[in-house]
């Protein structure tokens, strides 16, 4: 089982000017023992992806499977 697995993550914000797509269709799988860096240009969605993983954004679209991650953090 992966330490963290994300499938089709999308984050959108509704503004007065319309919908802003901050993250669109991110897939990520991190196995035990792997070291991963999330890099990209300014405005590419790195922070929104991280905030979604931590559960700090309301209900992003997609699937985040992190039972193994939560268990590891507790030990």
């Amino acid at each position: 089982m992966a330490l963290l697995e994300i499938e089709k993550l999308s984050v959108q914000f509704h503004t007065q000017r319309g919908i802003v797509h901050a993250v669109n269709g991110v897939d990520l799988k991190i196995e035990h023992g792997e070291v991963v860096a999330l890099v990209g240009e300014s405005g590419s969605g790195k922070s929104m992806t991280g905030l979604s993983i931590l559960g700090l954004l309301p209900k992003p679209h997609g699937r985040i499977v992190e039972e193994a991650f939560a268990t590891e953090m507790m030990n």
Side-chain angles (χ1 to χ4, degrees):
M1 179 178 196
L3 184 64
L4 175 67
E5 185 173 352
I6 300 171
E7 295 177 349
K8 301 177 184 171
L9 177 66
S10 294
V11 177
Q12 302 172 354
F13 297 100
H14 296 272
T15 70
Q16 291 179 342
R17 293 184 177 193
I19 297 174
V20 175
H21 299 275
V23 176
N24 191 15
V26 171
D27 293 329
L28 175 68
K29 187 173 184 179
I30 302 173
E31 298 291 344
H32 290 272
E34 285 186 318
V35 176
V36 177
L38 188 57
V39 297
E41 294 182 21
S42 178
S44 63
K46 301 175 302 292
S47 295
M48 295 299 110
T49 299
L51 291 170
S52 294
I53 292 168
L54 294 172
L56 298 175
L57 293 178
K59 299 182 184 179
H61 297 285
R63 187 171 84 102
I64 300 175
V65 180
E66 57 183 331
E67 289 85 1
F69 181 70
T71 302
E72 290 291 323
M73 295 298 287
M74 299 289 284
N75 292 333

